[in-house]
């Protein structure tokens, strides 16, 4: 698959505070040893949800245990108090918030990485075993392209399209970027089960979480007409619905937690699109439904 995102520009995703790797540098001491490392995740956070899905797909519950954090951080700086000891052990008098996700080393009590893409790649490469790889050989550039497209042309575009302080022309341009990207994905997924291979890869994890965020968070700041246009991609939303029914995806989808995190963090204005739910996610997962609103479920 060829995915051509718009010109590179800074992403809205948080820069990682720590970026160690497992098994890539002998000097770091982070050797691939089962049950040595631990994940600290909030599945209400997009990166936490991505890692949780990958962790389940790779069946790493025993090899790399995961601890799950509350949807809404309990510190004024949006950090988690439970993670503060790890941050302070890893960087003396660490000044920033103790954010999730975190991959920690139980042997040293320190953080290995807070960078979600690296964490997913290391889990797959060093602990995936004989299971189908989420990063199959030869697919690296395609997966990278999907990650950039999701970050820039969907997430960032949706954010800019719903920014109250932006000008009308800027919002319309962002919406067109978003719709153009969704249209390209919809055409690509017509007649396909997965994004780039005949199996689930990290590209599917990335895109699915991005679509969850688009429907459960970003649409709240768009007008109803924009959300109707976003919903008008049947192959794309059918793909999202199918993955939601997969246990490794749907089991981690906590709609109430995502809503509480959004309400706690968001300072934008709610628009008419908040009443136009694209998918009835709860109907296709094991989680309890969020408070229903008018649904445009592309079944």
């Amino acid at each position: 698959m060829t995915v051509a995102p718009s010109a590179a520009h800074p992403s809205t995703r948080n820069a990682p505070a720590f970026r160690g790797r497992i098994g890539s540098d002998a000097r770091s001491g982070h050797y691939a040893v089962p049950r040595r490392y631990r994940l600290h995740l909030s599945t209400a956070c997009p990166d936490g949800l991505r890692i949780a899905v990958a962790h389940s797909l790779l069946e790493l519950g025993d090899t790399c245990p995961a601890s799950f954090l509350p949807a809404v951080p309990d510190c004024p700086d949006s950090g988690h108090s439970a993670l503060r000891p790890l941050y302070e052990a890893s960087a003396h008098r660490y000044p920033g918030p103790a954010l999730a996700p975190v991959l920690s080393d139980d042997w040293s009590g320190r953080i290995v990485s807070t960078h979600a893409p690296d964490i997913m790649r290391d889990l797959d490469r060093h602990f995936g075993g004989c299971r189908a790889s989420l990063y199959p050989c030869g697919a690296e550039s395609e997966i990278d392209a999907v990650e950039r497209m999701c970050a820039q042309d969907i997430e960032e575009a949706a954010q800019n399209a719903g920014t109250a302080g932006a000008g009308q022309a800027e919002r319309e341009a962002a919406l067109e970027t978003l719709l153009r990207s969704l249209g390209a994905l919809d055409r690509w997924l017509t007649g396909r089960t997965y994004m780039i291979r005949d199996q689930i890869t990290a590209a599917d994890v990335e895109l699915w979480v991005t679509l969850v965020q688009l429907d459960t968070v970003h649409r709240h700041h768009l007008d109803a007409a924009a959300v109707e246009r976003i919903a008008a991609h049947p192959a794309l939303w059918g793909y999202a619905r199918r993955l939601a029914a997969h246990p490794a995806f749907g089991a981690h989808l906590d709609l109430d937690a995502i809503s509480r995190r959004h309400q706690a963090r968001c300072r934008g204005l709610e628009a008419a699109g908040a009443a136009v739910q694209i998918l009835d996610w709860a109907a296709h997962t094991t989680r309890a439904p969020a408070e229903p609103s008018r649904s445009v479920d592309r079944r």
Side-chain angles (χ1 to χ4, degrees), residues 12 16 40 58 69 83-84 88 133 135 194 235 247 262 265 284:
T12 55
H40 308 263
L58 296 170
L69 300 163
L83 298 179
R84 177 55 58 179
E88 292 182 348
S133 176
Y135 298 87
Y194 305 116
H262 177 225
R265 290 164 50 92
H284 308 291

Side-chain angles (χ1 to χ4, degrees), residues 19-25 28-33 36-38 64 103-104 112-113 118-119 121-123 125-127:
R19 199 169 175 180
R21 302 299 298 268
I22 295 177
S24 62
D25 185 352
S28 73
H30 295 140
Y31 302 108
V33 179
R36 173 178 176 177
Y37 302 99
R38 181 177 299 274
C64 180
L103 176 67
S104 68
V112 176
S113 181
D118 286 353
I119 292 171
R121 283 167 169 80
D122 285 352
L123 292 177
R125 182 176 298 115
H126 298 294
F127 299 117

Side-chain angles (χ1 to χ4, degrees), residues 248-285:
F249 289 79
H252 294 294
L253 183 55
D254 189 335
L255 301 171
D256 178 66
I258 293 173
S259 177
R260 286 187 284 111
R261 180 179 184 270
H262 177 225
Q263 291 172 7
R265 290 164 50 92
C266 184
R267 299 295 179 267
L269 300 177
E270 186 172 287
V276 189
Q277 185 180 11
I278 298 172
L279 280 188
D280 183 358
W281 296 94
H284 308 291
T285 67

